[in-house]
Amino acid sequence: MLTLGALVGRIELELAFAGGVSATPHEAVRVAGLATLTLPQLLEGEPQRRLEPGSLVLLTEMPFRLRGRAEVALETLLEQLALDGCAGLAVSVLSGAHQPFSLAVREVSAALGVPLLITTAPLRQWVRAGRDLAERRLAEAEARAGQLTTLVQQLPTRAADPEAMQPIADWLARALRAQVLVSEPGSVLAASPETAAEALAEAFLRGHREGLARDRSQGPHTRLVPLSSAGDAPPPAPADDASWGGRGAAVGAVSAADAGNAVLAVARRSPPFDDADLRLMRHAARLLGLLDQARREHRAAADAAHATRTAAVELLLDAEVDKARRVMATQAPGLLTPDAVRVFVVETPQDRRDAVLLGCEAGTAGRALVVADPREDRRILVVEPIRPRRTGDAVATALTRLVAELGADASLGGSGTYPMVMLADALQEAITAQRFALRRPDAVALSAQSTDLVSVLPRDAARRWARGLLDPLLRPDAQGEQMRDTLPTALAYPYAVAARRLHVHRNTVRRRVAKAAELLDMDFATVRDRATVGLALDLLADRHRPERSLTLVGGATPTLESLLASPEARAWADNLLCGARGDRRNLLTTAAVWLAHDAHVEPTARALGLSEFTVRSHLRALEGHMARDLGSLGGLRDLQFSLHILTGEVGVTDLRGDLCSTP
């Protein structure tokens, strides 16, 4: 767009500032168009319309000197030009004519800030100049329209995409030939080029140091546009934007950050930003503001959804299945309807967990609950409800593929199928499998088939043994059913925790356990009896269905000793303890004495002549080698039976002699 200074420099227009008018403040004023007016029209009250801002008004048919009514009309015209934001008033005079403006008119001009100019060029030259201005303005309008079209095309298909702002920042940087930064307190949302953050910080600091004393014609020139107010009226800006690169910019940046708003910052060395540039910035900021709003809303919705899923998993771990179903009813209707469940554990470096979490959610595609474990910052939990007659194992396949893509830093463990109310046990098995997976080449161990004793014992024979051991509890009455339902949880947890999971009073739990111990002639204070009954209960529990199946195939009842003597059981025990056997600290001796003292550290330390700290250190090392939690009933059971199989140093409780026979 042309300026008054540029028009004055065009020889054919023979244009100059009138005598007594300072040219310097007005040379940079932009001229948007040309409006012509004759003196007779002026005296008749023209123009009777609002003039376009930036217009240069050309007054023709002027007398030698303005007097009386013409002078008053000219003063009125200057007032209108000031109100309409016009660029100035040019008067056509004959070559060699004297100053046509009186002192009073020049004073009004100075007061209103509307410059007076004189021209001696013929009218046809100004007609050409008017056409030139119109063509320039049309070309600029078309260029800006093209820019806006291109800007809108930068909008992503997903407004909440974390990278959605970057294409707009890149385009704006190219369009303005500037450094562009979109940021919020504590984070950069988009930068173009990548060094824009450092460049803009340097520009603001330099401007703050030099303030308004530096040369305003020199860069960098900067602008800040808060995204939250991009749709409102633009902030006031001086004609020269140097102050924005100084203290004003620094204060603006601080205030925007204090308000917690995202801002668009733009800086370039030269030339200064014009009105069209500022309008383009505001348009870009408006679109960026919409993307920022979508990003914030998506993040809030994602946080709420994650909190809901986490709450549902916590309820399932506490066996509050009905409450968990109600919590998930609106977010994932029907997801928790099945009564069976399987759990997977994915472990990954902490700094990659959020990205892996998104990958798990995408891979499971709504077939499972995926949450970050609040207790372990490297772990992701995947809870897959198992529907009857399902085909395929899509969740396990997707997770296995994901772990393979992640490489050596990730591992995957999975549980078998459990009733939904036993999710805590499924999780414990999955964690155990994940620890076992760390020693496998593919870092994957799905279900307990390769790590669980129950899966390696001959099924029918083992169930007959369990039926014989638990025969006193298998009476088809309410009391027997209550004891069978209570024992798995009561043996695995303290009575207060078991009572909460079973929704009964802890005294009720204590009474049922005492009655079961009396009927079985066992002492559940000993690890041996707890482990044996726990194994029998697991053998009789059909985890693929929530109900218990106690129907057994006919045949002789074997002993536990005969079951544990199978080659499969020995291979299982050998694999489980192979790492511990190679440890120079003689961990298996510590484990055997610890089990003999019913998992009490103090008497174990006395018997071994070691400190309690050393005993605990040995047990922690043993947990690492076995990939088992020795604080759980399952971990104690596997340690008890594996030591018995390999060393014979640890005894096991078996059937009474009158019930035993070889298979």
Side-chain angles (χ1 to χ4, degrees):
M1 187 178 292
L2 292 175
T3 63
L4 284 178
L7 290 177
V8 169
R10 293 175 65 165
I11 299 174
E12 70 275 11
L13 295 181
E14 301 176 18
L15 182 66
F17 287 96
V21 177
S22 175
T24 304
H26 305 294
E27 285 182 336
V29 174
R30 302 180 187 277
V31 180
L34 181 67
T36 59
L37 185 68
T38 65
L39 183 59
Q41 290 174 331
L42 177 62
L43 295 176
E44 290 175 3
E46 293 290 342
Q48 296 183 2
R49 57 183 175 81
R50 186 177 178 85
L51 295 171
E52 187 173 356
S55 296
L56 175 63
V57 177
L58 176 64
L59 186 60
T60 63
E61 301 183 18
M62 288 290 294
F64 179 75
R65 186 178 294 276
L66 292 172
R67 297 179 184 275
R69 183 165 165 244
E71 185 176 11
V72 173
L74 190 61
E75 292 177 358
T76 303
L77 176 61
L78 287 172
E79 293 175 355
Q80 181 178 351
L81 298 185
L83 290 173
D84 292 344
C86 292
L89 174 63
V91 175
S92 177
V93 299
L94 296 175
S95 179
H98 294 284
Q99 169 67 269
F101 303 112
S102 65
L103 178 60
V105 172
R106 293 199 302 272
E107 289 177 347
V108 171
S109 167
L112 296 176
V114 179
L116 297 172
L117 301 96
I118 57 174
T119 177
T120 57
L123 183 59
R124 64 176 180 275
Q125 293 292 347
W126 281 100
V127 171
R128 293 195 190 100
R131 284 199 300 266
D132 182 44
L133 287 170
E135 290 171 358
R136 285 174 176 268
R137 187 171 182 187
L138 177 60
E140 290 177 356
E142 290 176 347
R144 293 304 179 186
Q147 283 183 326
L148 293 179
T149 300
T150 308
L151 174 59
V152 172
Q153 290 173 348
Q154 308 308 310
L155 285 174
T157 54
R158 290 182 60 251
D161 187 342
E163 301 297 325
M165 294 185 180
Q166 189 60 47
I168 295 179
D170 292 337
W171 177 86
L172 188 61
R174 291 193 300 270
L176 298 179
R177 298 180 181 178
Q179 306 263 356
V180 175
L181 176 70
V182 184
S183 64
E184 63 181 359
S187 66
V188 173
L189 303 178
S192 185
E194 294 182 357
T195 57
E198 294 80 0
L200 281 159
E202 180 182 353
F204 287 137
L205 290 174
R206 182 185 304 171
H208 180 69
R209 288 193 303 266
E210 298 177 3
L212 301 180
R214 65 184 176 89
D215 183 0
R216 296 189 180 194
S217 64
Q218 302 298 318
H221 305 281
T222 60
R223 280 293 187 274
L224 282 174
V225 185
L227 301 191
S228 61
S229 61
D232 303 331
D240 184 337
D241 68 348
S243 63
W244 277 75
R247 187 177 301 274
V251 173
V254 172
S255 62
D258 290 344
N261 296 327
V263 295
L264 167 65
V266 185
R268 72 182 177 194
R269 178 68 58 182
S270 63
F273 297 114
D274 59 23
D275 292 339
D277 293 334
L278 298 180
R279 282 195 299 271
L280 192 60
M281 288 182 208
R282 290 196 292 272
H283 287 311
R286 187 176 291 111
L287 295 183
L288 290 169
L290 294 175
L291 295 179
D292 182 56
Q293 181 181 356
R295 179 183 64 88
R296 292 175 185 272
E297 291 176 353
H298 176 76
R299 184 168 59 187
D303 290 345
H306 178 263
T308 300
R309 293 194 298 270
T310 302
V313 171
E314 291 294 331
L315 288 170
L316 290 174
L317 289 173
D318 287 336
E320 300 280 3
V321 177
D322 290 337
K323 291 182 180 179
R325 286 169 175 161
R326 288 196 294 271
V327 166
M328 291 298 298
T330 55
Q331 186 176 129
L335 178 62
L336 298 182
T337 301
D339 292 318
V341 71
R342 190 178 182 188
V343 177
F344 300 90
V345 169
V346 179
E347 187 162 298
T348 185
Q350 180 182 357
D351 58 350
R352 300 179 62 188
R353 185 170 76 164
D354 290 344
V356 176
L357 181 69
L358 294 176
C360 292
E361 290 176 346
T364 56
R367 294 185 292 264
L369 277 177
V370 181
V371 299
D373 190 344
R375 301 171 186 83
E376 172 57 57
D377 55 15
R378 293 169 51 89
R379 185 180 296 158
I380 296 169
L381 309 181
V382 181
V383 178
E384 180 195 10
I386 304 299
R387 298 185 179 278
R389 297 183 297 278
R390 67 168 183 158
T391 58
D393 202 356
V395 171
T397 301
L399 294 177
T400 301
R401 185 183 303 113
L402 176 64
V403 168
E405 293 172 354
L406 292 173
D409 291 335
S411 57
L412 171 66
S415 75
T417 303
Y418 280 73
M420 189 78 76
V421 294
M422 297 178 65
L423 184 78
D425 298 313
L427 174 60
Q428 189 58 53
E429 182 180 327
I431 293 173
T432 299
Q434 182 271 321
R435 292 172 180 167
F436 183 79
L438 295 174
R439 302 202 300 266
R440 301 188 62 170
D442 59 355
V444 174
L446 296 179
S447 89
Q449 292 183 359
S450 60
T451 62
D452 186 22
L453 175 61
V454 172
S455 64
V456 302
L457 296 178
R459 184 175 183 272
D460 291 340
R463 284 168 63 84
R464 286 197 298 274
W465 167 80
R467 178 70 170 79
L469 183 77
L470 300 179
D471 184 67
L473 304 183
L474 302 183
R475 295 173 299 181
D477 56 20
Q479 186 179 26
E481 184 177 355
Q482 288 175 348
M483 286 187 289
R484 291 195 303 272
D485 289 341
T486 300
L487 274 180
T489 305
L491 295 178
Y493 301 99
Y495 288 164
V497 176
R500 188 171 66 252
R501 289 176 171 270
L502 296 170
H503 308 292
V504 296
H505 195 276
R506 65 173 177 270
N507 289 339
T508 302
V509 174
R510 185 178 288 108
R511 185 173 62 253
R512 291 176 182 175
V513 171
K515 182 63 175 177
E518 179 184 349
L519 291 174
L520 296 173
D521 191 21
M522 291 189 180
D523 180 7
F524 290 145
T526 66
V527 171
R528 174 191 295 192
D529 287 354
R530 289 206 311 275
T532 301
V533 172
L535 175 62
L537 289 169
D538 280 348
L539 288 168
L540 292 183
D542 188 349
R543 292 175 181 169
H544 293 275
R545 295 180 297 171
E547 67 274 9
R548 299 297 178 91
S549 173
L550 299 179
T551 302
L552 297 174
V553 182
T557 301
T559 64
L560 181 58
E561 287 286 356
S562 64
L563 295 174
L564 297 179
S566 68
E568 294 83 2
R570 175 164 288 278
W572 167 82
D574 185 68
N575 181 67
L576 187 66
L577 296 181
C578 64
R581 286 204 306 270
D583 196 296
R584 59 181 178 80
R585 288 170 289 185
N586 200 6
L587 302 182
L588 298 187
T589 298
T590 302
V593 176
W594 181 64
L595 291 174
H597 288 87
D598 294 317
H600 294 298
V601 172
E602 184 178 355
T604 302
R606 287 199 301 269
L608 292 171
L610 301 173
S611 68
E612 293 182 24
F613 176 83
T614 301
V615 171
R616 290 192 176 90
S617 175
H618 285 191
L619 294 175
R620 284 194 298 271
L622 190 61
E623 285 182 322
H625 288 302
M626 295 176 59
R628 293 293 191 274
D629 178 8
L630 296 183
S632 69
L633 179 62
L636 285 174
R637 183 198 70 189
D638 286 355
L639 179 61
Q640 178 90 16
F641 291 126
S642 60
L643 280 173
H644 176 77
I645 292 170
L646 292 182
T647 68
E649 296 180 10
V650 178
V652 295
T653 301
D654 208 338
L655 297 171
R656 296 191 300 274
D658 57 339
L659 293 177
C660 295
S661 63
T662 56

